[in-house]
Structures are given as C-alpha cells and as structure tokens.
Amino acid sequence: MSDVKHHPPSTVPIRVMTYNVHACVGTDGRLDVERIATVIRMYSPDIVALQELDVARRRSGGSHQANLIAEHLGMQGHFHPAWHPLPEEQYGDAILTPWPFQLIKGGKLPTAASPLAFEPRGALWITVKKGNAVVQVMNTHLGLSNRERRNQVDALLSEEWLSHPDCRKPAIFCGDLNDIPVSRIYRRLSARLTDVQRVGSFFRARPTFPSRLPLLRLDYIFVSPDVSVESVEIGRVPPARVASDHLPLIADLQVPVLQLGAQDASQQSHDLFPKGTGAPLLEGDSS
C-alpha cells in the first residue's frame, strides 16, 4: 500500500473571456443572439464578461439579451444597465458564469465635458467561486473621449472599485477600454495589474478590432499578480468574424485557492454563497 499523501491543488484553472457583442448585431447587419452564444460556447469559458447588451430595446425586439445568452449557455450572471436610452430601455454590460457567484456592485462611472461623451458608462463587480478558489471579477466598457476615459480609470483604481478593501486578491479585470496599449489609461492599469497578453510567450499582443480585419487592441483582460497566465487566445473561429464587430479575448488562468483553515474556508464559502439562495437572476439594477 502506498504511503503517498495526495494534497489538494494550490490553484484552480479558470478560463475567462471578454467580448464586446455589439448588441448581438453582426458585421453582416443581422441581429442574432444565438450566434453570439455559439461563439462563446466554442471556447467554454468559466467566466464571460460581455459589453454592449440590449434589454427591452425596440431595435432588438424588446429582448433581454443577457438572459437569452445565459439560457443558451446554461449559465447565470448579472446585467448592469449603464444607460437608459428611453425610460423603459436598458443598455449595458454583464458577467455570466456556470459557477456560484455573488453580486458585489454595479455602478456608474464618471464622464467629462466632451461631444464624444454622449453615452453613460458603468462597471460591474462580482465574486465567482470555482472549487476552492474565490475570484473578484470586474467588467467595464470605457467611453470614447480621452478625458472621459481618464476620469473613469481614476474611479476604477480608487477605493470605490479596485482599491476597495473587499477587492482582495485574486482579481480579474475585463473590458473594452476603447484605447490602445500606448495610452495613459493603459499604462495606469498595467502598473497595477498584469495584462494577460504581456506575459511570457504571449508578449506579441494581438488585436481584437475590427473583427473582419483586426488592427487595434481595445479589449483586455488584466489579472492580479497572484494569478498565473497559462495561455491566451483571440477567438478567430469563422462565426466570430461576423457575430460582432469585436473578436473575443480568452485567457486560461491558474487562480490560487483560499488560504484558510478548513473551518474558516467553509465559513467564508457559506457567507459568500449561502446554501439555497443560488445565483441571482440577470436583473438590471437601478444605477
């Protein structure tokens, strides 16, 4: 009989995707929620951060796009409306996952006086539990004006978001930053977090926009220093080239497990994800 003891792993693999879905309207002009879900399913992410989703908008047939995508994938999550184009319409971002999660915050980001700052922006923060790992996940879509983006990154790096006492490591920050890697906002974020496309052999970062002929890096996944990056991929499957004007960005990560005693870990897991509550529905909040 072997005396070898098998210790539990110190990290948990998590695949994360960020994807600007362009209200599920493809480069062929066709509105197709199922096509977006098909692209996501082909990469089997544990966590998917989505930007540019419609809820109850006339142009999208009044559907709840986040809920429809989640239903196709067998996932749950939360939608945050960054903008109400009309009182009954919503437009914003979501995070989906098949794993237990807890909503921490959905909120507005500051704007600036600029003709380009015509669309309110927001951010969404949840915690996701996979195995013995609990990870903080944030998703955002920044504005079109330089000054607006600077104000928004100031807010995201503040104690309201990434510097909040509850935003303990490990952390994943995703989104469409509407800016390139030589920008001031990129430098500020990359000084704090690790860009998954700037790690080891992935240093030759690849663009995600526009989807038919990608030229620009606008979509990013950043991680805290305790998260290991195993691989990075741009979603170039044929459906992705027409499903949206952006390509998805996917990263395979190793996330450290909770470093607590068994009793403390059990209690923390219970506090974060109380039995019987399940994950909340994809309801927009009032922010």
Side-chain angles (χ1 to χ4, degrees):
M1 182 181 292
S2 173
D3 292 329
V4 175
K5 294 182 179 179
H6 296 281
H7 299 283
S10 59
T11 61
V12 171
I14 291 182
R15 170 170 279 201
V16 60
M17 170 190 284
T18 186
Y19 194 11
N20 182 324
V21 299
H22 196 235
C24 300
V25 176
T27 56
D28 56 1
R30 183 159 61 93
L31 172 67
D32 193 337
V33 174
E34 188 172 354
R35 183 167 57 180
I36 290 290
T38 296
V39 172
I40 297 169
R41 187 184 299 111
M42 293 176 79
Y43 293 96
S44 303
D46 293 296
I47 299 166
V48 55
L50 301 174
Q51 304 88 38
E52 293 197 19
L53 291 160
D54 280 355
V55 170
R57 297 194 70 179
R58 181 178 299 178
R59 70 177 188 178
S60 301
S63 67
H64 193 310
Q65 291 186 335
N67 268 338
L68 290 175
I69 294 169
E71 288 168 7
H72 281 298
L73 298 173
M75 293 186 178
Q76 300 178 84
H78 191 84
F79 167 79
H80 172 71
W83 185 27
H84 295 263
L86 294 172
E88 67 278 10
E89 295 187 350
Q90 298 179 339
Y91 176 76
D93 315 307
I95 304 174
L96 310 182
T97 180
W99 302 102
F101 81 95
Q102 182 187 48
L103 172 66
I104 303 300
K105 180 180 181 179
K108 295 179 180 179
L109 294 178
T111 186
S114 167
L116 294 176
F118 57 86
E119 179 183 309
R121 305 289 175 158
L124 176 60
W125 172 13
I126 71 171
T127 55
V128 176
K129 184 178 188 293
K130 180 184 178 185
N132 290 326
V134 175
V135 62
Q136 314 291 321
V137 185
M138 292 189 189
N139 179 27
T140 193
H141 184 194
L142 301 189
L144 299 176
S145 155
N146 283 326
R147 182 179 300 175
E148 183 183 27
R149 288 194 297 274
R150 289 197 296 268
N151 292 344
Q152 290 163 354
V153 168
D154 285 344
L156 288 165
L157 289 171
S158 76
E159 292 186 354
E160 293 294 314
W161 296 93
L162 287 165
S163 295
H164 192 285
D166 290 341
C167 190
R168 55 199 177 278
K169 298 175 184 177
I172 301 170
F173 179 86
C174 304
D176 176 356
L177 302 187
N178 268 320
D179 221 333
I180 56 177
V182 297
S183 68
R184 178 180 172 185
I185 70 151
Y186 173 86
R187 292 196 301 270
R188 293 198 63 203
L189 286 167
S190 60
R192 172 75 174 272
L193 300 165
T194 301
D195 175 358
V196 298
Q197 289 213 72
R198 295 291 191 186
V199 176
S201 61
F202 318 121
F203 191 81
R204 188 180 63 81
R206 288 146 291 186
T208 55
F209 179 86
S211 56
R212 286 189 182 274
L213 183 63
L215 299 172
L216 300 174
R217 278 189 73 199
L218 302 181
D219 305 281
Y220 299 85
I221 299 171
F222 291 90
V223 296
S224 55
D226 57 333
V227 175
S228 298
V229 181
E230 298 295 304
S231 66
V232 179
E233 182 177 0
I234 304 296
R236 297 179 180 273
V237 293
R241 293 187 178 275
V242 295
S244 170
D245 60 346
H246 288 243
L247 295 174
L249 171 65
I250 306 101
D252 286 301
L253 312 172
Q254 289 288 337
V255 175
V257 302
L258 289 167
Q259 297 298 315
L260 300 172
Q263 184 173 355
D264 291 339
S266 176
Q267 181 62 44
Q268 180 163 339
S269 175
H270 175 79
D271 292 342
L272 280 172
F273 310 99
K275 185 177 180 181
T277 61
L281 297 175
L282 284 159
E283 296 295 338
D285 42 57
S286 59
S287 296

